[in-house]
CSV table of all heavy atoms in Angstrom, one decimal:
chain,number,residue,atom,x,y,z
A,1,MET,N,-102.9,-123.1,-21.3
A,1,MET,CA,-101.6,-122.5,-21.7
A,1,MET,C,-100.7,-122.6,-20.5
A,1,MET,O,-101.1,-122.3,-19.4
A,1,MET,CB,-101.8,-121.1,-22.1
A,1,MET,CG,-100.5,-120.4,-22.5
A,1,MET,SD,-100.8,-118.7,-23.1
A,1,MET,CE,-101.6,-119.1,-24.6
A,2,ARG,N,-99.4,-123.0,-20.8
A,2,ARG,CA,-98.4,-123.1,-19.7
A,2,ARG,C,-98.0,-121.7,-19.2
A,2,ARG,O,-98.0,-120.7,-20.0
A,2,ARG,CB,-97.1,-123.7,-20.2
A,2,ARG,CG,-97.2,-125.0,-20.8
A,2,ARG,CD,-95.9,-125.7,-21.1
A,2,ARG,NE,-94.9,-124.9,-21.8
A,2,ARG,CZ,-93.6,-124.8,-21.3
A,2,ARG,NH1,-93.3,-125.3,-20.2
A,2,ARG,NH2,-92.7,-124.1,-21.9
A,3,ASP,N,-97.7,-121.6,-17.9
A,3,ASP,CA,-97.2,-120.4,-17.3
A,3,ASP,C,-95.7,-120.6,-17.3
A,3,ASP,O,-95.1,-121.1,-16.3
A,3,ASP,CB,-97.8,-120.2,-15.9
A,3,ASP,CG,-97.4,-118.8,-15.4
A,3,ASP,OD1,-96.4,-118.2,-15.8
A,3,ASP,OD2,-98.1,-118.4,-14.4
A,4,ILE,N,-95.0,-120.3,-18.4
A,4,ILE,CA,-93.6,-120.6,-18.5
A,4,ILE,C,-92.8,-119.8,-17.5
A,4,ILE,O,-91.9,-120.4,-16.8
A,4,ILE,CB,-93.1,-120.2,-19.9
A,4,ILE,CG1,-93.9,-121.0,-21.0
A,4,ILE,CG2,-91.6,-120.4,-20.1
A,4,ILE,CD1,-93.7,-120.5,-22.4
A,5,ALA,N,-93.1,-118.6,-17.2
A,5,ALA,CA,-92.4,-117.7,-16.3
A,5,ALA,C,-92.5,-118.3,-14.9
A,5,ALA,O,-91.5,-118.4,-14.2
A,5,ALA,CB,-92.9,-116.3,-16.3
A,6,HIS,N,-93.6,-118.8,-14.5
A,6,HIS,CA,-93.8,-119.4,-13.2
A,6,HIS,C,-93.1,-120.7,-13.0
A,6,HIS,O,-92.5,-121.0,-12.0
A,6,HIS,CB,-95.3,-119.6,-12.8
A,6,HIS,CG,-95.5,-119.9,-11.4
A,6,HIS,ND1,-95.4,-119.0,-10.4
A,6,HIS,CD2,-95.9,-121.0,-10.8
A,6,HIS,CE1,-95.6,-119.5,-9.2
A,6,HIS,NE2,-96.0,-120.8,-9.4
A,7,GLU,N,-93.0,-121.5,-14.1
A,7,GLU,CA,-92.3,-122.8,-14.1
A,7,GLU,C,-90.8,-122.5,-13.9
A,7,GLU,O,-90.2,-123.2,-13.1
A,7,GLU,CB,-92.5,-123.5,-15.4
A,7,GLU,CG,-93.8,-124.1,-15.6
A,7,GLU,CD,-94.0,-124.8,-16.9
A,7,GLU,OE1,-93.0,-125.2,-17.6
A,7,GLU,OE2,-95.2,-125.0,-17.3
A,8,VAL,N,-90.2,-121.5,-14.5
A,8,VAL,CA,-88.8,-121.2,-14.4
A,8,VAL,C,-88.6,-120.6,-13.0
A,8,VAL,O,-87.6,-121.0,-12.3
A,8,VAL,CB,-88.4,-120.2,-15.4
A,8,VAL,CG1,-86.9,-119.7,-15.2
A,8,VAL,CG2,-88.4,-120.8,-16.8
A,9,TYR,N,-89.5,-119.8,-12.5
A,9,TYR,CA,-89.4,-119.2,-11.2
A,9,TYR,C,-89.3,-120.2,-10.1
A,9,TYR,O,-88.5,-120.2,-9.2
A,9,TYR,CB,-90.6,-118.2,-10.9
A,9,TYR,CG,-90.7,-117.7,-9.5
A,9,TYR,CD1,-89.9,-116.7,-9.0
A,9,TYR,CD2,-91.6,-118.3,-8.6
A,9,TYR,CE1,-90.0,-116.3,-7.7
A,9,TYR,CE2,-91.7,-117.9,-7.3
A,9,TYR,CZ,-90.9,-116.9,-6.9
A,9,TYR,OH,-91.0,-116.4,-5.6
A,10,GLU,N,-90.2,-121.2,-10.2
A,10,GLU,CA,-90.3,-122.3,-9.2
A,10,GLU,C,-88.9,-123.1,-9.1
A,10,GLU,O,-88.6,-123.6,-8.0
A,10,GLU,CB,-91.4,-123.3,-9.6
A,10,GLU,CG,-92.8,-122.7,-9.4
A,10,GLU,CD,-93.3,-122.8,-8.0
A,10,GLU,OE1,-93.1,-123.8,-7.4
A,10,GLU,OE2,-94.0,-121.8,-7.6
A,11,LYS,N,-88.2,-123.2,-10.2
A,11,LYS,CA,-87.0,-124.0,-10.2
A,11,LYS,C,-85.8,-123.2,-9.7
A,11,LYS,O,-84.7,-123.8,-9.4
A,11,LYS,CB,-86.7,-124.6,-11.6
A,11,LYS,CG,-87.8,-125.5,-12.0
A,11,LYS,CD,-87.5,-126.0,-13.5
A,11,LYS,CE,-88.6,-126.9,-13.9
A,11,LYS,NZ,-88.4,-127.3,-15.3
A,12,MET,N,-85.9,-121.9,-9.6
A,12,MET,CA,-84.7,-121.1,-9.2
A,12,MET,C,-84.5,-120.9,-7.7
A,12,MET,O,-85.5,-121.1,-6.9
A,12,MET,CB,-85.0,-119.6,-9.8
A,12,MET,CG,-85.1,-119.6,-11.3
A,12,MET,SD,-85.5,-117.9,-11.9
A,12,MET,CE,-84.1,-117.0,-11.4
A,13,LYS,N,-83.3,-120.6,-7.3
A,13,LYS,CA,-83.0,-120.2,-6.0
A,13,LYS,C,-83.0,-118.7,-5.9
A,13,LYS,O,-82.7,-118.0,-6.8
A,13,LYS,CB,-81.6,-120.8,-5.6
A,13,LYS,CG,-81.5,-122.3,-5.5
A,13,LYS,CD,-80.2,-122.8,-5.1
A,13,LYS,CE,-80.1,-124.3,-5.1
A,13,LYS,NZ,-78.8,-124.8,-4.8
A,14,VAL,N,-83.3,-118.2,-4.7
A,14,VAL,CA,-83.2,-116.8,-4.4
A,14,VAL,C,-81.8,-116.2,-4.8
A,14,VAL,O,-80.8,-116.8,-4.4
A,14,VAL,CB,-83.6,-116.4,-3.0
A,14,VAL,CG1,-83.5,-115.0,-2.7
A,14,VAL,CG2,-85.1,-116.9,-2.7
A,15,GLY,N,-81.8,-115.1,-5.5
A,15,GLY,CA,-80.5,-114.5,-5.9
A,15,GLY,C,-80.0,-115.0,-7.2
A,15,GLY,O,-79.0,-114.4,-7.7
A,16,SER,N,-80.6,-116.1,-7.8
A,16,SER,CA,-80.0,-116.6,-9.0
A,16,SER,C,-80.7,-116.0,-10.2
A,16,SER,O,-81.8,-115.4,-10.1
A,16,SER,CB,-80.2,-118.1,-9.1
A,16,SER,OG,-81.5,-118.5,-9.1
A,17,THR,N,-80.1,-116.1,-11.4
A,17,THR,CA,-80.7,-115.6,-12.6
A,17,THR,C,-81.0,-116.7,-13.6
A,17,THR,O,-80.3,-117.8,-13.5
A,17,THR,CB,-79.8,-114.6,-13.3
A,17,THR,OG1,-78.5,-115.2,-13.7
A,17,THR,CG2,-79.5,-113.4,-12.5
A,18,ALA,N,-81.9,-116.5,-14.5
A,18,ALA,CA,-82.2,-117.6,-15.5
A,18,ALA,C,-82.8,-116.9,-16.7
A,18,ALA,O,-83.3,-115.8,-16.6
A,18,ALA,CB,-83.2,-118.5,-14.9
A,19,TRP,N,-82.7,-117.6,-17.8
A,19,TRP,CA,-83.3,-117.2,-19.1
A,19,TRP,C,-84.6,-117.9,-19.2
A,19,TRP,O,-84.6,-119.1,-19.0
A,19,TRP,CB,-82.4,-117.5,-20.2
A,19,TRP,CG,-81.2,-116.5,-20.4
A,19,TRP,CD1,-80.0,-116.7,-19.9
A,19,TRP,CD2,-81.3,-115.2,-21.0
A,19,TRP,NE1,-79.2,-115.6,-20.2
A,19,TRP,CE2,-80.0,-114.7,-20.9
A,19,TRP,CE3,-82.3,-114.5,-21.6
A,19,TRP,CZ2,-79.6,-113.4,-21.4
A,19,TRP,CZ3,-81.9,-113.2,-22.1
A,19,TRP,CH2,-80.6,-112.7,-22.0
A,20,ILE,N,-85.6,-117.2,-19.6
A,20,ILE,CA,-86.9,-117.9,-20.0
A,20,ILE,C,-86.9,-117.9,-21.5
A,20,ILE,O,-86.8,-116.8,-22.1
A,20,ILE,CB,-88.1,-117.1,-19.4
A,20,ILE,CG1,-88.0,-116.9,-17.9
A,20,ILE,CG2,-89.4,-117.8,-19.9
A,20,ILE,CD1,-89.1,-116.0,-17.3
A,21,ARG,N,-87.1,-119.1,-22.1
A,21,ARG,CA,-87.1,-119.2,-23.5
A,21,ARG,C,-88.2,-120.2,-23.9
A,21,ARG,O,-88.5,-121.1,-23.1
A,21,ARG,CB,-85.7,-119.7,-24.1
A,21,ARG,CG,-84.6,-118.7,-23.9
A,21,ARG,CD,-83.4,-119.2,-24.6
A,21,ARG,NE,-82.3,-118.2,-24.5
A,21,ARG,CZ,-81.2,-118.3,-23.8
A,21,ARG,NH1,-81.0,-119.4,-23.0
A,21,ARG,NH2,-80.3,-117.4,-23.8
A,22,PRO,N,-88.7,-120.1,-25.1
A,22,PRO,CA,-89.7,-121.1,-25.6
A,22,PRO,C,-89.0,-122.4,-25.8
A,22,PRO,O,-87.8,-122.5,-26.2
A,22,PRO,CB,-90.2,-120.5,-26.9
A,22,PRO,CG,-89.1,-119.5,-27.4
A,22,PRO,CD,-88.4,-119.1,-26.1
A,23,VAL,N,-89.7,-123.5,-25.4
A,23,VAL,CA,-89.2,-124.9,-25.6
A,23,VAL,C,-90.1,-125.6,-26.6
A,23,VAL,O,-91.2,-125.9,-26.3
A,23,VAL,CB,-89.3,-125.6,-24.2
A,23,VAL,CG1,-88.8,-127.0,-24.3
A,23,VAL,CG2,-88.5,-124.9,-23.1
A,24,ALA,N,-89.5,-125.8,-27.8
A,24,ALA,CA,-90.2,-126.5,-28.9
A,24,ALA,C,-90.7,-127.8,-28.5
A,24,ALA,O,-91.8,-128.2,-28.9
A,24,ALA,CB,-89.3,-126.6,-30.1
A,25,ALA,N,-90.0,-128.6,-27.7
A,25,ALA,CA,-90.4,-129.9,-27.3
A,25,ALA,C,-91.7,-129.9,-26.4
A,25,ALA,O,-92.4,-130.9,-26.3
A,25,ALA,CB,-89.3,-130.6,-26.5
A,26,LYS,N,-92.0,-128.7,-25.8
A,26,LYS,CA,-93.2,-128.6,-25.0
A,26,LYS,C,-94.3,-127.8,-25.8
A,26,LYS,O,-95.3,-127.4,-25.2
A,26,LYS,CB,-92.9,-127.8,-23.7
A,26,LYS,CG,-92.0,-128.6,-22.8
A,26,LYS,CD,-91.9,-128.0,-21.4
A,26,LYS,CE,-91.1,-128.8,-20.5
A,26,LYS,NZ,-91.0,-128.2,-19.2
A,27,GLY,N,-94.1,-127.6,-27.1
A,27,GLY,CA,-95.1,-127.0,-27.9
A,27,GLY,C,-95.0,-125.5,-28.0
A,27,GLY,O,-95.9,-124.9,-28.5
A,28,ASP,N,-94.0,-124.9,-27.4
A,28,ASP,CA,-93.9,-123.4,-27.5
A,28,ASP,C,-93.4,-122.9,-28.8
A,28,ASP,O,-92.6,-123.6,-29.5
A,28,ASP,CB,-92.9,-122.9,-26.4
A,28,ASP,CG,-93.2,-123.3,-25.0
A,28,ASP,OD1,-94.4,-123.5,-24.7
A,28,ASP,OD2,-92.3,-123.4,-24.2
A,29,THR,N,-94.0,-121.8,-29.2
A,29,THR,CA,-93.5,-121.1,-30.4
A,29,THR,C,-93.2,-119.7,-30.0
A,29,THR,O,-93.6,-119.2,-29.0
A,29,THR,CB,-94.6,-121.1,-31.5
A,29,THR,OG1,-95.7,-120.4,-31.0
A,29,THR,CG2,-95.0,-122.5,-31.9
A,30,ILE,N,-92.5,-119.0,-30.9
A,30,ILE,CA,-92.2,-117.6,-30.6
A,30,ILE,C,-93.5,-116.8,-30.4
A,30,ILE,O,-93.6,-115.9,-29.6
A,30,ILE,CB,-91.3,-117.0,-31.7
A,30,ILE,CG1,-89.9,-117.6,-31.8
A,30,ILE,CG2,-91.2,-115.5,-31.6
A,30,ILE,CD1,-89.1,-117.3,-30.6
A,31,GLU,N,-94.5,-117.1,-31.3
A,31,GLU,CA,-95.8,-116.4,-31.2
A,31,GLU,C,-96.4,-116.7,-29.8
A,31,GLU,O,-97.0,-115.7,-29.2
A,31,GLU,CB,-96.7,-116.8,-32.3
A,31,GLU,CG,-96.2,-116.2,-33.7
A,31,GLU,CD,-95.1,-117.1,-34.3
A,31,GLU,OE1,-94.8,-118.2,-33.9
A,31,GLU,OE2,-94.4,-116.5,-35.2
A,32,SER,N,-96.5,-117.9,-29.4
A,32,SER,CA,-97.1,-118.3,-28.1
A,32,SER,C,-96.3,-117.8,-26.9
A,32,SER,O,-96.9,-117.6,-25.8
A,32,SER,CB,-97.4,-119.8,-28.0
A,32,SER,OG,-96.2,-120.5,-27.9
A,33,PHE,N,-95.0,-117.6,-27.1
A,33,PHE,CA,-94.1,-117.2,-26.1
A,33,PHE,C,-94.3,-115.8,-25.6
A,33,PHE,O,-94.0,-115.4,-24.5
A,33,PHE,CB,-92.7,-117.4,-26.5
A,33,PHE,CG,-91.7,-117.1,-25.4
A,33,PHE,CD1,-91.5,-117.9,-24.3
A,33,PHE,CD2,-90.9,-116.0,-25.5
A,33,PHE,CE1,-90.6,-117.6,-23.3
A,33,PHE,CE2,-89.9,-115.7,-24.5
A,33,PHE,CZ,-89.8,-116.5,-23.4
A,34,GLN,N,-95.0,-115.0,-26.4
A,34,GLN,CA,-95.2,-113.5,-26.1
A,34,GLN,C,-96.0,-113.4,-24.8
A,34,GLN,O,-95.8,-112.4,-24.1
A,34,GLN,CB,-95.9,-112.8,-27.3
A,34,GLN,CG,-95.2,-112.9,-28.6
A,34,GLN,CD,-93.7,-112.6,-28.5
A,34,GLN,OE1,-93.4,-111.4,-28.2
A,34,GLN,NE2,-92.9,-113.5,-28.7
A,35,VAL,N,-96.8,-114.3,-24.4
A,35,VAL,CA,-97.5,-114.3,-23.2
A,35,VAL,C,-96.6,-114.4,-22.0
A,35,VAL,O,-96.9,-113.9,-20.9
A,35,VAL,CB,-98.6,-115.4,-23.2
A,35,VAL,CG1,-99.3,-115.5,-21.8
A,35,VAL,CG2,-99.6,-115.3,-24.3
A,36,ALA,N,-95.4,-115.1,-22.2
A,36,ALA,CA,-94.5,-115.2,-21.1
A,36,ALA,C,-94.0,-113.9,-20.5
A,36,ALA,O,-93.7,-113.8,-19.3
A,36,ALA,CB,-93.3,-116.1,-21.5
A,37,HIS,N,-93.9,-112.9,-21.4
A,37,HIS,CA,-93.5,-111.6,-20.9
A,37,HIS,C,-94.5,-111.0,-20.0
A,37,HIS,O,-94.2,-110.4,-18.9
A,37,HIS,CB,-93.2,-110.6,-22.1
A,37,HIS,CG,-92.7,-109.3,-21.6
A,37,HIS,ND1,-93.4,-108.2,-21.6
A,37,HIS,CD2,-91.4,-108.9,-21.2
A,37,HIS,CE1,-92.7,-107.2,-21.1
A,37,HIS,NE2,-91.5,-107.6,-20.9
A,38,ALA,N,-95.8,-111.1,-20.3
A,38,ALA,CA,-96.8,-110.6,-19.4
A,38,ALA,C,-96.8,-111.4,-18.1
A,38,ALA,O,-97.0,-110.9,-17.0
A,38,ALA,CB,-98.2,-110.8,-20.1
A,39,GLN,N,-96.5,-112.7,-18.2
A,39,GLN,CA,-96.5,-113.6,-17.0
A,39,GLN,C,-95.3,-113.1,-16.1
A,39,GLN,O,-95.4,-113.0,-14.9
A,39,GLN,CB,-96.3,-115.0,-17.3
A,39,GLN,CG,-97.5,-115.6,-18.1
A,39,GLN,CD,-97.2,-116.9,-18.7
A,39,GLN,OE1,-96.1,-117.3,-18.9
A,39,GLN,NE2,-98.3,-117.6,-19.1
A,40,ALA,N,-94.1,-112.9,-16.7
A,40,ALA,CA,-93.0,-112.4,-16.0
A,40,ALA,C,-93.2,-111.0,-15.4
A,40,ALA,O,-92.8,-110.7,-14.2
A,40,ALA,CB,-91.7,-112.4,-16.9
A,41,GLN,N,-93.9,-110.2,-16.1
A,41,GLN,CA,-94.2,-108.8,-15.6
A,41,GLN,C,-95.1,-108.9,-14.4
A,41,GLN,O,-94.9,-108.2,-13.4
A,41,GLN,CB,-94.9,-108.0,-16.7
A,41,GLN,CG,-95.0,-106.5,-16.3
A,41,GLN,CD,-93.7,-105.8,-16.0
A,41,GLN,OE1,-92.8,-105.9,-16.8
A,41,GLN,NE2,-93.6,-105.2,-14.9
A,42,GLN,N,-96.0,-109.9,-14.4
A,42,GLN,CA,-96.9,-110.0,-13.2
A,42,GLN,C,-96.0,-110.5,-12.0
A,42,GLN,O,-96.2,-110.0,-10.9
A,42,GLN,CB,-97.9,-111.1,-13.5
A,42,GLN,CG,-98.9,-111.3,-12.3
A,42,GLN,CD,-100.0,-112.3,-12.6
A,42,GLN,OE1,-99.9,-113.0,-13.6
A,42,GLN,NE2,-101.0,-112.3,-11.8
A,43,LEU,N,-95.1,-111.4,-12.2
A,43,LEU,CA,-94.2,-111.8,-11.1
A,43,LEU,C,-93.3,-110.6,-10.6
A,43,LEU,O,-93.1,-110.5,-9.4
A,43,LEU,CB,-93.3,-113.0,-11.5
A,43,LEU,CG,-94.0,-114.3,-11.7
A,43,LEU,CD1,-93.0,-115.3,-12.3
A,43,LEU,CD2,-94.6,-114.9,-10.5
A,44,ALA,N,-92.9,-109.8,-11.5
A,44,ALA,CA,-92.1,-108.6,-11.2
A,44,ALA,C,-93.0,-107.6,-10.4
A,44,ALA,O,-92.5,-107.0,-9.4
A,44,ALA,CB,-91.5,-108.0,-12.4
A,45,ASP,N,-94.2,-107.4,-10.8
A,45,ASP,CA,-95.1,-106.5,-10.1
A,45,ASP,C,-95.4,-107.0,-8.6
A,45,ASP,O,-95.6,-106.2,-7.7
A,45,ASP,CB,-96.4,-106.4,-10.8
A,45,ASP,CG,-96.3,-105.6,-12.1
A,45,ASP,OD1,-95.3,-105.0,-12.3
A,45,ASP,OD2,-97.3,-105.7,-12.9
A,46,GLU,N,-95.3,-108.3,-8.4
A,46,GLU,CA,-95.5,-108.9,-7.1
A,46,GLU,C,-94.2,-108.8,-6.3
A,46,GLU,O,-94.2,-109.2,-5.1
A,46,GLU,CB,-96.0,-110.3,-7.2
A,46,GLU,CG,-97.4,-110.4,-7.8
A,46,GLU,CD,-97.8,-111.9,-8.1
A,46,GLU,OE1,-97.1,-112.8,-7.6
A,46,GLU,OE2,-98.8,-112.1,-8.8
A,47,GLY,N,-93.1,-108.4,-6.9
A,47,GLY,CA,-91.9,-108.3,-6.2
A,47,GLY,C,-91.1,-109.6,-6.0
A,47,GLY,O,-90.2,-109.7,-5.2
A,48,LEU,N,-91.5,-110.6,-6.8
A,48,LEU,CA,-90.8,-111.9,-6.8
A,48,LEU,C,-89.6,-112.0,-7.6
A,48,LEU,O,-88.7,-112.7,-7.3
A,48,LEU,CB,-91.8,-113.0,-7.1
A,48,LEU,CG,-93.1,-113.0,-6.2
A,48,LEU,CD1,-94.0,-114.1,-6.8
A,48,LEU,CD2,-92.7,-113.4,-4.8
A,49,ILE,N,-89.6,-111.3,-8.7
A,49,ILE,CA,-88.4,-111.3,-9.7
A,49,ILE,C,-88.1,-109.9,-10.2
A,49,ILE,O,-89.0,-109.0,-10.0
A,49,ILE,CB,-88.7,-112.2,-10.9
A,49,ILE,CG1,-89.8,-111.6,-11.8
A,49,ILE,CG2,-89.0,-113.6,-10.5
A,49,ILE,CD1,-90.0,-112.2,-13.1
A,50,ASN,N,-87.0,-109.7,-10.8
A,50,ASN,CA,-86.6,-108.5,-11.5
A,50,ASN,C,-86.3,-109.0,-12.9
A,50,ASN,O,-85.6,-109.9,-13.2
A,50,ASN,CB,-85.4,-107.9,-10.9
A,50,ASN,CG,-84.9,-106.6,-11.6
A,50,ASN,OD1,-85.8,-105.9,-12.2
A,50,ASN,ND2,-83.7,-106.3,-11.5
A,51,ILE,N,-86.9,-108.3,-13.9
A,51,ILE,CA,-86.7,-108.6,-15.3
A,51,ILE,C,-85.4,-107.8,-15.7
A,51,ILE,O,-85.4,-106.6,-15.8
A,51,ILE,CB,-87.9,-108.2,-16.2
A,51,ILE,CG1,-89.1,-109.0,-15.8
A,51,ILE,CG2,-87.5,-108.5,-17.7
A,51,ILE,CD1,-90.4,-108.6,-16.5
A,52,ALA,N,-84.3,-108.6,-16.0
A,52,ALA,CA,-83.0,-107.9,-16.3
A,52,ALA,C,-82.9,-107.6,-17.7
A,52,ALA,O,-82.4,-106.5,-18.1
A,52,ALA,CB,-81.9,-108.8,-15.8
A,53,THR,N,-83.3,-108.5,-18.6
A,53,THR,CA,-83.2,-108.3,-20.1
A,53,THR,C,-84.3,-108.9,-20.8
A,53,THR,O,-84.8,-110.0,-20.4
A,53,THR,CB,-81.9,-109.0,-20.5
A,53,THR,OG1,-80.8,-108.6,-19.8
A,53,THR,CG2,-81.6,-108.7,-22.0
A,54,VAL,N,-84.8,-108.3,-21.8
A,54,VAL,CA,-85.8,-108.8,-22.8
A,54,VAL,C,-85.2,-108.7,-24.2
A,54,VAL,O,-84.8,-107.6,-24.6
A,54,VAL,CB,-87.1,-108.0,-22.7
A,54,VAL,CG1,-88.1,-108.5,-23.8
A,54,VAL,CG2,-87.7,-108.1,-21.3
A,55,LYS,N,-84.9,-109.9,-24.8
A,55,LYS,CA,-84.4,-109.9,-26.1
A,55,LYS,C,-85.5,-110.1,-27.1
A,55,LYS,O,-86.3,-111.0,-26.9
A,55,LYS,CB,-83.3,-111.0,-26.2
A,55,LYS,CG,-82.1,-110.7,-25.4
A,55,LYS,CD,-80.9,-111.5,-25.8
A,55,LYS,CE,-79.7,-111.1,-25.1
A,55,LYS,NZ,-78.5,-111.7,-25.6
A,56,LYS,N,-85.4,-109.4,-28.2
A,56,LYS,CA,-86.4,-109.5,-29.3
A,56,LYS,C,-85.7,-110.0,-30.6
A,56,LYS,O,-84.5,-109.7,-30.9
A,56,LYS,CB,-87.1,-108.2,-29.6
A,56,LYS,CG,-87.9,-107.7,-28.4
A,56,LYS,CD,-88.6,-106.4,-28.7
A,56,LYS,CE,-89.4,-106.0,-27.5
A,56,LYS,NZ,-90.3,-104.9,-27.8
A,57,SER,N,-86.4,-110.7,-31.4
A,57,SER,CA,-85.9,-111.2,-32.7
A,57,SER,C,-86.1,-110.0,-33.7
A,57,SER,O,-86.6,-109.0,-33.3
A,57,SER,CB,-86.7,-112.4,-33.2
A,57,SER,OG,-88.1,-112.1,-33.3
A,58,GLU,N,-85.6,-110.2,-34.9
A,58,GLU,CA,-85.6,-109.2,-35.9
A,58,GLU,C,-87.0,-108.7,-36.2
A,58,GLU,O,-87.2,-107.5,-36.6
A,58,GLU,CB,-84.9,-109.7,-37.2
A,58,GLU,CG,-83.4,-109.9,-37.0
A,58,GLU,CD,-82.8,-110.5,-38.3
A,58,GLU,OE1,-83.5,-110.6,-39.3
A,58,GLU,OE2,-81.6,-110.8,-38.2
A,59,ASP,N,-88.0,-109.6,-36.1
A,59,ASP,CA,-89.4,-109.2,-36.4
A,59,ASP,C,-90.1,-108.5,-35.2
A,59,ASP,O,-91.3,-108.2,-35.3
A,59,ASP,CB,-90.2,-110.3,-36.9
A,59,ASP,CG,-90.2,-111.5,-36.0
A,59,ASP,OD1,-89.6,-111.4,-34.9
A,59,ASP,OD2,-90.8,-112.5,-36.3
A,60,GLY,N,-89.3,-108.3,-34.1
A,60,GLY,CA,-89.9,-107.6,-33.0
A,60,GLY,C,-90.6,-108.4,-31.9
A,60,GLY,O,-91.0,-107.9,-30.9
A,61,LEU,N,-90.6,-109.7,-32.1
A,61,LEU,CA,-91.2,-110.6,-31.1
A,61,LEU,C,-90.2,-111.0,-30.1
A,61,LEU,O,-89.0,-111.2,-30.3
A,61,LEU,CB,-91.7,-111.9,-31.8
A,61,LEU,CG,-92.9,-111.7,-32.8
A,61,LEU,CD1,-93.2,-113.0,-33.5
A,61,LEU,CD2,-94.1,-111.1,-32.1
A,62,ILE,N,-90.6,-111.1,-28.8
A,62,ILE,CA,-89.7,-111.5,-27.7
A,62,ILE,C,-89.3,-112.9,-27.8
A,62,ILE,O,-90.2,-113.8,-28.0
A,62,ILE,CB,-90.4,-111.2,-26.4
A,62,ILE,CG1,-90.8,-109.7,-26.2
A,62,ILE,CG2,-89.6,-111.7,-25.2
A,62,ILE,CD1,-91.7,-109.4,-25.1
A,63,ASP,N,-88.0,-113.2,-27.8
A,63,ASP,CA,-87.6,-114.6,-27.9
A,63,ASP,C,-86.9,-115.1,-26.6
A,63,ASP,O,-86.6,-116.3,-26.5
A,63,ASP,CB,-86.7,-114.8,-29.1
A,63,ASP,CG,-85.5,-114.0,-29.2
A,63,ASP,OD1,-85.1,-113.4,-28.2
A,63,ASP,OD2,-84.8,-114.1,-30.2
A,64,SER,N,-86.5,-114.2,-25.7
A,64,SER,CA,-86.0,-114.6,-24.4
A,64,SER,C,-86.1,-113.5,-23.4
A,64,SER,O,-86.1,-112.3,-23.7
A,64,SER,CB,-84.5,-115.1,-24.6
A,64,SER,OG,-83.7,-114.1,-25.0
A,65,ILE,N,-86.2,-113.9,-22.1
A,65,ILE,CA,-86.3,-113.0,-21.0
A,65,ILE,C,-85.3,-113.5,-19.9
A,65,ILE,O,-85.4,-114.6,-19.5
A,65,ILE,CB,-87.7,-112.9,-20.5
A,65,ILE,CG1,-88.7,-112.6,-21.6
A,65,ILE,CG2,-87.8,-112.0,-19.3
A,65,ILE,CD1,-90.1,-112.9,-21.2
A,66,ARG,N,-84.5,-112.6,-19.4
A,66,ARG,CA,-83.6,-112.9,-18.3
A,66,ARG,C,-84.2,-112.3,-17.0
A,66,ARG,O,-84.5,-111.2,-17.0
A,66,ARG,CB,-82.2,-112.4,-18.5
A,66,ARG,CG,-81.2,-112.9,-17.5
A,66,ARG,CD,-79.8,-112.6,-17.8
A,66,ARG,NE,-79.0,-113.2,-16.8
A,66,ARG,CZ,-77.7,-113.3,-16.8
A,66,ARG,NH1,-77.1,-112.8,-17.9
A,66,ARG,NH2,-77.0,-113.9,-15.9
A,67,ILE,N,-84.3,-113.2,-16.0
A,67,ILE,CA,-84.9,-112.8,-14.7
A,67,ILE,C,-84.0,-113.1,-13.6
A,67,ILE,O,-83.1,-113.9,-13.7
A,67,ILE,CB,-86.3,-113.4,-14.5
A,67,ILE,CG1,-86.1,-115.0,-14.4
A,67,ILE,CG2,-87.3,-113.1,-15.6
A,67,ILE,CD1,-87.4,-115.7,-13.9
A,68,LEU,N,-84.1,-112.3,-12.5
A,68,LEU,CA,-83.4,-112.5,-11.2
A,68,LEU,C,-84.5,-112.8,-10.2
A,68,LEU,O,-85.4,-112.0,-10.0
A,68,LEU,CB,-82.7,-111.2,-10.9
A,68,LEU,CG,-82.1,-111.1,-9.5
A,68,LEU,CD1,-81.0,-112.1,-9.2
A,68,LEU,CD2,-81.6,-109.7,-9.2
A,69,LYS,N,-84.3,-113.9,-9.4
A,69,LYS,CA,-85.3,-114.2,-8.4
A,69,LYS,C,-85.0,-113.4,-7.1
A,69,LYS,O,-83.9,-113.5,-6.6
A,69,LYS,CB,-85.3,-115.7,-8.1
A,69,LYS,CG,-86.3,-116.1,-7.1
A,69,LYS,CD,-86.4,-117.6,-7.0
A,69,LYS,CE,-87.6,-118.0,-6.0
A,69,LYS,NZ,-87.8,-119.5,-6.0
A,70,LEU,N,-86.0,-112.7,-6.7
A,70,LEU,CA,-85.8,-111.8,-5.5
A,70,LEU,C,-86.3,-112.5,-4.2
A,70,LEU,O,-85.8,-112.2,-3.1
A,70,LEU,CB,-86.5,-110.5,-5.7
A,70,LEU,CG,-86.0,-109.7,-6.9
A,70,LEU,CD1,-86.9,-108.4,-7.0
A,70,LEU,CD2,-84.5,-109.3,-6.7
A,71,ALA,N,-87.4,-113.3,-4.3
A,71,ALA,CA,-88.0,-113.9,-3.1
A,71,ALA,C,-88.5,-115.3,-3.4
A,71,ALA,O,-88.6,-115.7,-4.5
A,71,ALA,CB,-89.2,-113.1,-2.7
């Protein structure tokens, strides 16, 4: 399984923000994307990012996460 949050984190510059979203071309689905929140939370716990926003679809599943790179 891809670590989507880490992939986005690696591409960011310190102080920048980015949205983490599922990419259908890479085989991501809304259901499989739910793991990305746990991955982002782990990066936040390590002090590498701040999770600014978590957007959910009407059925309650997370469909995007906005992060700020701290380190």
